[in-house]
Amino acid sequence: MQTLTVQLGERSYPILIGAGLIRSRELLTQHLPHLRQRDLLLVTNTVVGPLYAQALRQSLPAQRIVEVVIPDGEQHKTLDNAAHLFDVLIANRFGRDALVLALGGGVVGDLAGFVAACYQRGVDLVQVPTTLLAQVDSSVGGKTAVNHPGGKNLIGAFHQPQAVIADTAVLTSLPQRELAAGLAEVIKYGLMRDAAFFDWIEQHIDALRAREPQALSHAIRRSCEIKAEVVSHDEREQGERALLNLGHTFGHAIEAATGYREWLHGEAVGTGLLIAADLSQRLGQLSPAAVARVRALLERAGLPVRPPALGAQRVLECMRIDKKVQAGRVRLVLLQGIGRALLSADYPDGLLQQTLVAHFG
Amino acid sequence: MQTLTVQLGERSYPILIGAGLIRSRELLTQHLPHLRQRDLLLVTNTVVGPLYAQALRQSLPAQRIVEVVIPDGEQHKTLDNAAHLFDVLIANRFGRDALVLALGGGVVGDLAGFVAACYQRGVDLVQVPTTLLAQVDSSVGGKTAVNHPGGKNLIGAFHQPQAVIADTAVLTSLPQRELAAGLAEVIKYGLMRDAAFFDWIEQHIDALRAREPQALSHAIRRSCEIKAEVVSHDEREQGERALLNLGHTFGHAIEAATGYREWLHGEAVGTGLLIAADLSQRLGQLSPAAVARVRALLERAGLPVRPPALGAQRVLECMRIDKKVQAGRVRLVLLQGIGRALLSADYPDGLLQQTLVAHFG
């Protein structure tokens, strides 16, 4: 088992990474003493719950466990489902010392995290992410939210977990498409911050797709290290943290325009990375060779590189409702090289338009 | 005009106290530069809106103001109304740089504050409290929440405002009963923390009930000073801040048991102060003379001192669902003297039972 710490002063917390963690009462009790003697709300979904909830429950030293199983899918990350979880907490008279445990992917983690953030103005939270994407991204850093018909993650809170437990063994049951979606975020970390890690991913992409434990473990660890470092510097996204949104503004627009159904979040982000690279090249900041490397790596990861023909105008409208708009202008994360992302609102609208037409028609 | 500062590092903010503030574009623009050039959501209610919204809007330098008027009353501080405000923000495409302005009493402030806390994971908030209770208590300190059928303020967030504007002129339109409810919180500050202020309130209670501007202004200022000091030390209620709940655990039980309809929050708190004093006396910590002073002052303030005959058992059940429960035990704020409150979970259950029977039958 490996342990990382997200450094946030008194809100610091560990990320545990290893195979079989959720089946080890000994490890959980040793590393997470706050799990003991607690009222615990276990939130999971209809896909993950049947596979892992029972095993996890047997490893938990908590006194009382109430389990809520929500349907699988992004369309269930709603304020209505949050309200349902509040109802369950209150019906069971859970107090301010209760703990919410999220067992699932990003949807479960974001929803359960939002509920933990707001129940009695904040109760403890432990994330047990079960997808690669959640292990390397959404479970770390304290962003929680639910969606609104008008846009993704528009209602939410910053609420850091007490711990993140990334059990790499659960990734064996992950569909190939979801594995690829998680790899998109892994590639993002290399692209934004660490050229050597990008090189490493290029060299190990086949091992990652084959789920070789050591390769996965390294990819998760390095991704979490980068995210933890960025979040430690800028918890509330006043600056540097926005770089983690590389590929996301384009990706969110794809998701929104397709109703959050056809594209997985990670798939949309992957394509968004390529569009961000392409725009950076049109701005003269990135070489054509670098763009080609991004495209090739996404393809080898099994990710789509062509978005649907939504039309540039439609995509622009979706981008404008995204949270990154400031003073009416969309701020974009662009690239100055592999491993070097920067935030910019200073780009010619014509070049953005050109880029969108090239990708979305 | 007087200005206080709530010291919270980079989240510090001013409390402006004075007559006629909401009618002065000059003062608002000068002291609240962040009001300029903003998309602004003005939240008010059906009682306060018609009286003051127009005047306030004319003083605001904001670019675009969208106004939402909610019905008056505690029963409207719901997650459903929060959802409605999210809908309005999103329908108007308000960005992360939007500002929410709450014009009203505690219900409006808590609801609008919760929405500001969660919209896009937090946008700016300005509180313009229009009741004495909101001016001395609920608008200051960053507690926001909505109610749940199972209990008050069970869903919420800590979210500090950018500023609090306490215009004492608006108190002239306040019903006498609501003025008295606000005085209950003023009395609480003296009782918990400042014996000299308690003396001053005894001497000026008639002037306060007659709404003499100087007396009101002093009471608001000193109350806000005490609250600001406590909040600065303990923003998230890990310790000292819990003392501000003096009278509230008993008060919340009265409100809950009567369906939040018959008793105003301040009235319930006032009676709760007397019950806390009585229990403290039974514990041998407070003199009978001090209890008599508390009772006399509440009566002179026009506050009820006899709760409804709910029965001790019922009240105890209501107290158990309150947020102050820790490890199954209700923590109470008790008195060791006038001006000296302390938090305790260490009291004989028999004495609590006796006290409840004495007051609730």
Side-chain angles (χ1 to χ4, degrees), chain A residues 181-204:
Chain A
L183 289 174
E185 296 280 1
V186 174
I187 293 168
K188 178 196 77 177
Y189 290 111
L191 205 49
M192 72 166 270
R193 186 89 161 191
D194 185 344
F197 184 44
F198 191 86
D199 292 349
W200 180 91
I201 303 166
E202 287 182 322
Q203 287 151 28
H204 295 81

Side-chain angles (χ1 to χ4, degrees), chain B residues 205-227:
Chain B
I205 189 69
D206 297 329
L208 290 166
R209 293 203 67 194
R211 307 183 197 211
E212 283 182 18
Q214 284 203 315
L216 277 179
S217 201
H218 178 76
I220 294 165
R221 189 197 162 87
R222 185 63 197 128
S223 297
C224 286
E225 272 174 3
I226 292 172
K227 178 139 190 189

Side-chain angles (χ1 to χ4, degrees), chain B residues 62-242:
Chain B
Q63 280 192 331
R64 181 164 66 127
I65 302 174
V66 172
E67 188 174 324
V68 176
V69 182
I70 61 165
D72 184 42
E74 186 78 36
Q75 67 271 33
H76 300 290
K77 206 174 89 176
T78 59
L79 196 55
D80 279 349
N81 269 326
H84 172 59
L85 292 176
F86 291 131
D87 291 343
V88 171
L89 284 162
I90 291 162
N92 285 282
R93 304 208 161 191
F94 274 29
R96 202 180 266 176
D97 52 355
L99 185 142
V100 175
L101 191 150
L103 172 69
V107 169
V108 167
D110 284 4
L111 172 67
F114 178 65
V115 167
C118 294
Y119 185 56
Q120 302 209 9
R121 298 197 189 94
V123 298
D124 286 351
L125 169 70
V126 168
Q127 294 275 10
V128 186
T130 58
T131 63
L132 179 59
L133 191 136
Q135 291 188 353
V136 299
D137 185 26
S138 59
S139 69
V140 176
K143 279 193 180 177
T144 73
V146 295
N147 299 327
H148 183 279
K152 235 183 129 171
N153 297 328
L154 286 179
I155 302 164
F158 285 93
H159 189 61
Q160 299 294 341
Q162 304 298 111
V164 178
I165 303 166
D167 186 338
T168 53
V170 306
L171 299 181
T172 54
S173 63
L174 199 64
Q176 196 64 13
R177 199 178 150 196
E178 291 209 36
L179 187 82
L183 289 174
E185 295 281 0
V186 173
I187 293 168
K188 178 197 77 178
Y189 289 112
L191 204 50
M192 73 167 269
R193 187 89 161 188
D194 185 343
F197 184 45
F198 191 86
D199 293 347
W200 181 93
I201 303 167
E202 287 181 320
Q203 287 150 28
H204 294 83
I205 189 69
D206 297 329
L208 290 166
R209 293 203 67 194
R211 307 183 197 211
E212 283 182 18
Q214 284 203 315
L216 277 179
S217 201
H218 178 76
I220 294 165
R221 189 197 162 87
R222 185 63 197 128
S223 297
C224 286
E225 272 174 3
I226 292 172
K227 178 139 190 189
E229 192 188 320
V230 172
V231 169
S232 297
H233 293 160
D234 177 22
E235 184 180 7
R236 296 230 160 201
E237 197 164 317
Q238 313 289 312
E240 179 184 350
R241 183 167 181 164

Side-chain angles (χ1 to χ4, degrees), chain A residues 79 83 86-87 90 96-97 114 117-121 143-145 148 150 153-158 237 323 327, chain B residues 79 83 86-87 90 93 96-97 114 117-121 143-145 148 150 153-158 237 323 327:
Chain A
L79 197 54
F86 290 130
D87 292 343
I90 291 164
R96 202 181 266 173
D97 51 356
F114 178 65
C118 294
Y119 185 57
Q120 302 209 9
R121 298 198 188 93
K143 279 194 181 180
T144 74
H148 183 278
N153 296 330
L154 287 179
I155 301 166
F158 286 94
E237 198 163 317
K323 290 192 296 303
Chain B
L79 196 55
F86 291 131
D87 291 343
I90 291 162
R93 304 208 161 191
R96 202 180 266 176
D97 52 355
F114 178 65
C118 294
Y119 185 56
Q120 302 209 9
R121 298 197 189 94
K143 279 193 180 177
T144 73
H148 183 279
N153 297 328
L154 286 179
I155 302 164
F158 285 93
E237 197 164 317
K323 291 193 296 300

